[in-house]
Amino acid sequence: MSKLTFARAINAGLRKSLENDPKVVLMGEDIGALGGVFRVTDGLQKDFGKHRVIDSPLAESGIIGTAVGLAYRGYRPVCEIQFDGFIYPAFDQIVSQVAKMHYRTQGRVKMPITIRVPFGGGIGSPEHHSESPEAYFTHTSGLRVVAVSNPQDAYTMIQQAIASDDPVLYFEPKRRYHDKGDVDESLDLSTALPLDRAAVVNTGTDVTLVSYGPLVKTAKDAAMAAADEGISVEVIDLRSLAPVDYPVVEASVRKTGRLVITHEAGQSGGLGAEIAASITERCFHYLESAPVRITGFDVPYPYSKLEMHHLPDLDRILDGVDRALGRPNSLSGLEG
Amino acid sequence: MLTDQAGKGVHQGTPGPGQSAQNPLRTGGDLLQLVSPEGDRISHPEFDVWVRDIGDEQLCSLYEDMTVIRRIDAEATALQRQGELALWPPLLGQEAAQIGSSRSLRDDDFVFPSYRESGVAYVRGAHLSEIARVWRGNASYGWDPQRINVATPQIIIGSQSLHATGYAMGVQLDGASTAVLAYFGDGATSEGDVNEAMVFAASYQAPVVFFCQNNHWAISEPVRIQSHVQLADRPTGFGIPSMRVDGNDVLAVMAATRVALDRARKGGGPTFIEAVTYRMGPHTTADDPTRYRDPNELEDWAAKDPILRLHKLLEAKGLLTEDVAARVKAKADAVAAELRSSCIDMPDPQPLDVFNHVYSTPNSWIERQKDHYSRYLNSFNQPVEEGAL
């Protein structure tokens, strides 16, 4: 067991994948000598060579499109998109090619491509550097989408993503890159929690609080604060955003009867909407109140002096928990 | 090879020491031609060597392939008109470009086509039913890419140029001598992906050949409004040498493609070929070119017909005997008949196939939807109990 930052944990996972499988290649802007702008790939080019850790031209569609060709040739490319907001030029290659090639060829061509995306806000960046574009990709069949919330998962899930024969979008919460945690580097991937499973990270009985990525920590903090008020909050870390592990969420909601979902992305058409609808379909008779969403606003990601208003924090989440419980809250007295 | 030919048959992207920045082949007159529209063999000091193995028998064989794919095209167009195919992208007029280039490939080379390269697929060994099924709507892919080393047809314009480049990077990592050929049209050169592909290919000197069939029309957009320079001039800005060839001259296409493939295999990096040809039919069977195209233009190009040209050459050489003509016709008829029967006899896919192969591993969302839809379909087979409603 070692104490690693989030970024080092991903780095260790990448290193292990590079060691274990000669078909794994890393591609991205500035990932070589610089080690990536967040240093996630630090030292890898030095140890594995320029042919395994490839500094690419500044062209996101090119990074993903050439990865498609490499996958055709039997490679397992791991692409880094430098920031969430830079993924859009590659959108066509991701949704039209990476996602559909297996279906298009009825399984003849596999696309074991991992796309790493530092995502989310909270680090005071200018625009295009703090976005949460996950819902675009969870809406696209053929892609697996995961978001990691702690160094241990970061370490194991990057290896599972690379080992997956399906393409995986791997979202890294950039404001947590420097958080430290215990990482068991000897953990056998076959015994680790599968890539598409959710985890109950705090057990509780009154409210189910669902989150993923950067907000899992905030959600756990909120659960601790709620406990001080005598409210027992069960926190679920989704880990997989596509597919969502509904049986785990369902079991929790059947126990608590109440559901709060929190994410940084805007509300409309977001993952919270999908989860609220699906859980309502599956657990309607168990719900004591309507599902509550605590999310970013439906605005472009704001300039950094305002981002603390946009991002759900502990107090907004607790306010949502109060709404789910029918306790006095900021919307008390408001109809609809 | 390329250095030997600089300024004669191949554009040099970045003139090196001692080379002139002026490239005499940069204008329209620089079209590489080995057979004139009248069927005369034009001798070329640098390129003749690349087709010197093409003897009488080979010429007849090229003629046969071109005739057969024209027949495939005509039959498929008829099948579409009869409602047996949902759509068909005709290749009429582009037979020399497709046959000349694909007949230059080795078996281990890999091809990334667009949607119009049915002739290439035929040459590479695709079954006729595999060519038809995409357009019938029975599958999203034609042939098994790994069997004939041709990627599945690509609908998104230019997307495959990046896939080809990535595949070529993989070839480099493997240390193989395989070359990769990407087909796209003139319209695709406006797309970002084709330009990014050239950036990547040049950066890594990937063994890829960009084969642009300039058929002059991107649906209704003429090439002249998409490019103010000749398409072959564009790659030079990326540091990629290019050739501009008469795309209706099968020998010239072969020579140019062989030069480019050889260069790729020997580590020389990417090459761009502009095959100047003409789409004599519509973009697809859903298109009506009479709305946007001057009929005189079609007439001018009909005079440069690629098959007619080879026909004249064969005649002049006394090769087009009755036997040969009959053999070619019989082959074309047989292929057309097989295309028709394999199309009409093709079994429809099953309803639950819609859920298959989205992922290579199970996905709980899709499994659930498949299960629910299966129950729904089965409900039609259940007797409705009396009083159930």
Side-chain angles (χ1 to χ4, degrees):
Chain A
M1 194 73 81
S2 42
K3 207 81 162 167
L4 293 181
T5 64
F6 217 112
R8 293 304 302 176
I10 301 170
N11 182 280
L14 290 169
R15 175 178 291 278
K16 198 139 193 179
S17 295
L18 283 161
E19 279 166 1
N20 290 345
D21 186 350
K23 291 295 184 187
V24 172
V25 290
L26 272 50
M27 296 174 68
E29 298 160 12
D30 308 303
I31 68 167
L34 182 66
V37 293
F38 293 106
R39 309 292 183 266
V40 172
T41 53
D42 191 27
L44 297 178
Q45 189 182 65
K46 188 173 140 285
D47 294 343
F48 293 93
K50 286 185 174 175
H51 60 294
R52 302 279 313 274
V53 180
I54 305 167
D55 265 323
S56 74
L58 268 73
E60 285 75 13
S61 189
I63 294 169
I64 307 298
T66 52
V68 170
L70 281 160
Y72 242 110
R73 182 78 191 174
Y75 283 85
R76 291 184 174 275
V78 184
C79 304
E80 176 178 303
I81 297 293
Q82 199 160 66
F83 282 93
D84 35 50
F86 304 170
I87 201 168
Y88 307 116
F91 193 72
D92 171 59
Q93 284 290 344
I94 296 172
V95 304
S96 300
Q97 307 297 337
V98 174
K100 298 195 173 102
M101 199 64 82
H102 192 267
Y103 190 65
R104 180 181 297 149
T105 61
Q106 290 175 22
R108 264 74 176 180
V109 180
K110 296 195 191 318
M111 286 287 123
I113 298 173
T114 301
I115 303 172
R116 294 182 36 241
V117 191
F119 87 124
I123 62 165
S125 284
E127 64 172 344
H128 313 302
H129 288 71
S130 302
E131 310 204 351
S132 299
E134 60 272 19
Y136 296 119
F137 302 104
T138 61
H139 194 62
T140 300
S141 301
L143 301 175
R144 290 184 180 273
V145 183
V146 303
V148 285
S149 73
N150 62 78
Q152 179 69 62
D153 274 357
Y155 173 74
T156 49
M157 287 169 73
I158 189 66
Q159 293 177 71
Q160 290 170 320
I162 294 168
S164 167
D165 276 344
D166 292 314
V168 180
L169 271 106
Y170 178 93
F171 282 99
E172 304 169 5
K174 67 174 87 79
R175 66 163 136 151
R176 305 291 182 211
Y177 271 140
H178 303 297
D179 290 3
K180 278 194 173 178
D182 288 333
V183 177
D184 178 1
E185 291 187 59
S186 66
L187 190 70
D188 187 348
L189 284 191
S190 62
T191 60
L193 197 61
L195 195 59
D196 56 1
R197 292 293 158 75
V200 176
V201 293
N202 193 63
T203 50
T205 51
D206 295 333
V207 182
T208 298
L209 175 58
V210 171
S211 192
Y212 55 87
L215 286 190
V216 171
K217 181 179 184 299
T218 317
K220 283 163 77 175
D221 291 347
M224 275 176 67
D228 290 344
E229 295 182 44
I231 301 166
S232 171
V233 177
E234 180 142 301
V235 180
I236 293 176
D237 177 0
L238 283 182
R239 301 168 82 253
S240 176
L241 313 186
V244 165
D245 184 3
Y246 281 117
V248 166
V249 184
E250 214 176 311
S252 177
V253 171
R254 285 179 189 223
K255 179 172 68 173
T256 64
R258 300 173 199 278
L259 174 64
V260 177
I261 308 140
T262 183
H263 55 61
E264 289 189 11
Q267 188 167 92
S268 299
L271 207 56
E274 164 57 32
I275 292 168
S278 288
I279 289 301
T280 303
E281 279 176 358
R282 292 168 188 241
C283 306
F284 183 71
H285 295 291
Y286 294 84
L287 283 168
E288 303 284 345
S289 60
V292 173
R293 288 173 288 168
I294 303 298
T295 68
F297 303 118
D298 288 335
V299 299
Y301 194 87
Y303 26 97
S304 57
K305 293 283 190 203
L306 284 182
E307 68 178 341
M308 75 289 271
H309 291 286
H310 175 73
L311 296 170
D313 61 9
L314 185 145
D315 288 326
R316 270 178 70 197
I317 292 171
L318 287 176
D319 189 53
V321 168
D322 285 339
R323 274 159 64 191
L325 285 166
R327 287 160 46 106
N329 64 78
S330 65
L331 300 184
S332 293
L334 193 68
E335 298 249 338
Chain B
M1 189 60 229
L2 188 77
T3 315
D4 298 344
Q5 292 184 345
K8 290 170 184 165
V10 182
H11 286 177
Q12 275 292 84
T14 313
Q19 289 178 322
S20 164
Q22 283 292 321
N23 192 321
L25 279 183
R26 283 195 177 188
T27 59
D30 300 324
L31 206 63
L32 173 66
Q33 212 173 49
L34 298 181
V35 182
S36 77
E38 293 72 35
D40 300 322
R41 181 72 171 83
I42 303 165
S43 156
H44 194 290
E46 272 73 39
F47 282 91
D48 278 348
V49 65
W50 288 92
V51 288
R52 71 179 162 199
D53 59 317
I54 307 296
D56 294 351
E57 203 177 314
Q58 287 280 323
L59 276 179
C60 289
S61 159
L62 289 167
Y63 178 74
E64 178 186 298
D65 274 359
M66 288 166 67
T67 307
V68 168
I69 68 163
R70 179 165 289 189
R71 192 78 167 77
I72 289 175
D73 194 51
E75 193 68 23
T77 303
L79 284 164
Q80 193 281 330
R81 296 307 184 214
Q82 291 159 7
E84 296 294 345
L85 294 179
L87 190 76
W88 177 255
L91 55 86
L92 183 68
Q94 300 180 215
E95 293 88 352
Q98 293 200 13
I99 297 301
S101 55
S102 56
R103 289 275 300 259
S104 304
L105 293 160
R106 275 192 339 211
D107 282 352
D108 67 314
D109 292 335
F110 208 96
V111 174
F112 285 84
S114 81
Y115 44 80
R116 204 184 296 283
E117 277 71 55
S118 308
V120 175
Y122 169 76
V123 166
R124 297 288 282 175
H127 300 309
L128 294 162
S129 63
E130 292 176 330
I131 292 173
R133 67 182 178 193
V134 168
W135 307 107
R136 190 168 168 87
N138 282 45
S140 297
Y141 82 120
W143 41 86
D144 183 344
Q146 318 296 359
R147 185 175 71 79
I148 62 170
N149 274 16
V150 180
T152 199
Q154 182 54 251
I155 305 280
I156 300 283
I157 303 296
S159 202
Q160 72 280 8
S161 59
L162 278 170
H163 306 166
T165 304
Y167 192 98
M169 289 162 64
V171 167
Q172 274 179 318
L173 291 173
D174 292 342
S177 72
T178 297
V180 186
L181 198 152
Y183 287 96
F184 50 84
D186 44 293
T189 61
S190 299
E191 291 280 1
D193 277 0
V194 170
N195 289 274
E196 292 191 20
M198 287 196 275
V199 170
F200 274 68
S203 292
Y204 304 115
Q205 289 297 290
V208 59
V209 177
F210 298 116
F211 192 91
C212 174
Q213 291 179 79
N214 176 2
N215 71 12
H216 285 80
W217 292 91
I219 308 189
S220 70
E221 304 280 343
V223 66
R224 66 179 175 274
I225 69 161
Q226 302 210 41
S227 185
H228 286 246
V229 297
Q230 284 177 358
L231 298 180
D233 282 341
R234 288 199 177 172
T236 60
F238 294 95
I240 296 177
S242 68
M243 288 177 266
R244 189 162 183 269
V245 305
D246 185 332
N248 287 9
D249 172 354
V250 72
L251 277 190
V253 171
M254 262 191 126
T257 312
R258 285 170 160 196
V259 166
L261 291 170
D262 183 66
R263 193 175 120 74
R265 288 196 189 99
K266 289 180 173 157
T271 309
F272 184 104
I273 296 171
E274 179 191 356
V276 181
T277 181
Y278 193 73
R279 186 193 83 211
M280 292 168 79
H283 163 68
T284 68
T285 44
D287 174 39
D288 176 10
T290 63
R291 282 170 170 259
Y292 54 80
R293 207 157 67 173
D294 181 348
N296 293 328
E297 187 182 283
L298 182 59
E299 218 170 283
D300 289 349
W301 278 95
K304 301 180 201 165
D305 186 300
I307 297 184
L308 186 62
R309 183 178 311 193
L310 195 51
H311 186 106
K312 287 176 180 168
L313 178 68
L314 293 178
E315 264 187 346
K317 289 168 83 77
L319 296 172
L320 210 57
T321 60
E322 270 182 33
D323 271 4
V324 169
R327 193 189 74 207
V328 169
K329 185 179 181 307
K331 172 84 179 189
D333 286 348
V335 167
E338 193 188 333
L339 174 68
R340 171 167 289 272
S341 62
S342 67
C343 175
I344 291 169
D345 297 341
M346 203 178 295
D348 282 345
Q350 295 301 304
L352 292 181
D353 287 347
V354 75
F355 296 104
N356 293 341
H357 302 298
V358 182
Y359 295 87
S360 58
T361 44
N363 173 289
S364 57
W365 290 0
I366 294 173
E367 296 295 319
R368 182 178 157 99
Q369 289 178 7
K370 185 178 183 178
D371 177 54
H372 287 190
Y373 191 59
S374 168
R375 286 162 187 267
Y376 168 77
L377 291 177
N378 286 335
S379 71
F380 290 98
N381 302 323
Q382 306 296 323
V384 178
E385 283 175 39
E386 205 142 333
L389 299 177

